[in-house]
Amino acid sequence: MDKFDFNGKKVLVTGASSGVGREVAILLSAMGAKVVIVARRESELQKTLSLMEGSGHSYRVLDLTDFDGIVETVKDIIAKDGEKLDYIAHCAGLAVPIPLRSMSLANISQIFSSNTYSFMALLKCVAQKRLFNDGGAVVGISSCVGVYGQAANAVYGASKGAMDAFMKSAAKELRPRKIRVNTICPCGIKTEMLANQAIKAIEGDAINELPDYLMLPDKIASIVVALLSDSMQYISGVAIDVDEAKTWED
Ligand SMILES: NC(=O)c1ccc[n+]([C@@H]2O[C@H](COP(=O)([O-])OP(=O)(O)OC[C@H]3O[C@@H](n4cnc5c(N)ncnc54)[C@H](OP(=O)(O)O)[C@@H]3O)[C@@H](O)[C@H]2O)c1
């Protein structure tokens, strides 16, 4: 059996309207998976769908800050074709630099609900046998900011560090069903996320103006897909640094 084979497997990919999530969806489709993609921007989800191979894929417009909405949407995705999920790649995320003096409960809640509570809601679904098959896997994209810290990014870092901590206990709880749960903690990736932060300083095509040392989203996607695959059978409960051993330079 090909341990990288996703034929006949159903996968949910969040954040698939751009960046890493889009590349994960495209790669999984090329590997035979039936992929359901999720984000808020419908036109960008449709663009991702147009770039995917094979058939049977679909999209859902969903604001991942809605915890109950996530659970209801997953139930609905299963009800549509009667097939449970086998894998989830949680690639959605929000990074807004907030200096300590500017923190408010509102901006903390926005970042935690986008990054962390959404991950918790997805794992609540995974824990329900009628929604998620035994033997599958979940990968969440965390960040090296959660591991090493970054000035003016404490809230984002805390939201990602909380993802990592949550993942470790979830992996233990789901182990009896042979469901693996991991996170990856990358540093800078050349996507809209960094371009949006740099946009005020750059005229024109912000992504292409980003520096070349940043990692590329399709390379990060292949790490996510490898971690989902059966080739990583005993790897669970781990937050993996993805930074080419640069160990996070400020
Ligand atoms: N880029 C980096 O340097 C970097 C470094 C370390 C970790 N990461 C993490 O990598 C992941 C992927 O980010 P990226 O770099 O690919 O950035 P990106 O291109 O900005 O993608 C972020 C994705 O998250 C979705 N999203 C954000 N808030 C959402 C919400 N409330 N509901 C639904 N979807 C939402 C966005 O879709 P819509 O706007 O269409 O909803 C988009 O598809 C994120 O978790 C990020 O924190 C990025």
Side-chain angles (χ1 to χ4, degrees), residues 8-198:
K9 301 294 185 183
K10 189 169 171 185
V11 191
L12 178 69
V13 181
T14 72
S17 58
S18 61
V20 180
R22 169 172 282 161
E23 299 295 337
V24 168
I26 292 169
L27 183 54
L28 283 166
S29 73
M31 296 172 83
K34 181 175 178 179
V35 189
V36 183
I37 58 174
V38 165
R40 291 166 302 183
R41 289 170 296 167
E42 186 166 14
S43 59
E44 295 300 326
L45 286 171
Q46 287 168 340
K47 182 177 171 189
T48 303
L49 267 189
S50 74
L51 297 168
M52 291 164 68
E53 292 180 31
S55 57
H57 314 302
S58 57
Y59 71 83
R60 292 300 176 106
V61 175
L62 175 65
D63 186 339
L64 290 161
T65 61
D66 178 1
F67 188 98
D68 293 334
I70 294 172
V71 178
E72 288 311 310
T73 301
V74 171
K75 283 183 189 162
D76 197 51
I77 287 168
I78 280 53
K80 273 277 174 303
D81 59 7
E83 292 174 18
K84 297 189 251 185
L85 292 170
D86 296 289
Y87 301 98
I88 295 178
H90 180 42
C91 306
L94 175 70
V96 182
I98 305 171
L100 296 174
R101 65 177 179 283
S102 306
M103 280 188 302
S104 67
L105 192 52
N107 58 32
I108 294 169
S109 298
Q110 189 196 17
I111 290 184
F112 268 77
S113 56
S114 304
N115 298 346
T116 321
Y117 303 160
S118 53
F119 190 49
M120 294 174 174
L122 291 168
L123 281 154
K124 178 181 166 120
C125 298
V126 173
Q128 297 176 50
K129 270 181 167 283
R130 67 201 164 102
L131 301 180
F132 198 92
N133 282 319
D134 292 359
V138 178
V139 173
I141 305 193
S142 178
S143 169
C144 64
V145 177
V147 182
Y148 300 106
Q150 186 181 42
N153 235 349
V155 178
Y156 175 73
S159 76
K160 295 296 193 176
M163 267 182 82
D164 298 340
F166 185 83
M167 170 275 295
K168 288 177 188 174
S169 294
K172 289 190 189 300
E173 193 166 327
L174 293 165
R175 187 163 56 108
R177 290 176 55 205
K178 299 199 180 314
I179 295 170
R180 299 179 298 102
V181 191
N182 295 290
T183 53
I184 62 166
C185 306
C187 290
I189 311 165
K190 207 167 188 171
T191 64
E192 280 180 25
M193 183 168 277
L194 287 189
N196 288 341
Q197 289 175 26

Side-chain angles (χ1 to χ4, degrees), residues 19-20 23-24 27 189 191 215-223:
V20 180
E23 299 295 337
V24 168
L27 183 54
I189 311 165
T191 64
M215 297 185 288
L216 298 174
D218 60 321
K219 310 273 191 250
I220 303 299
S222 64
I223 296 167

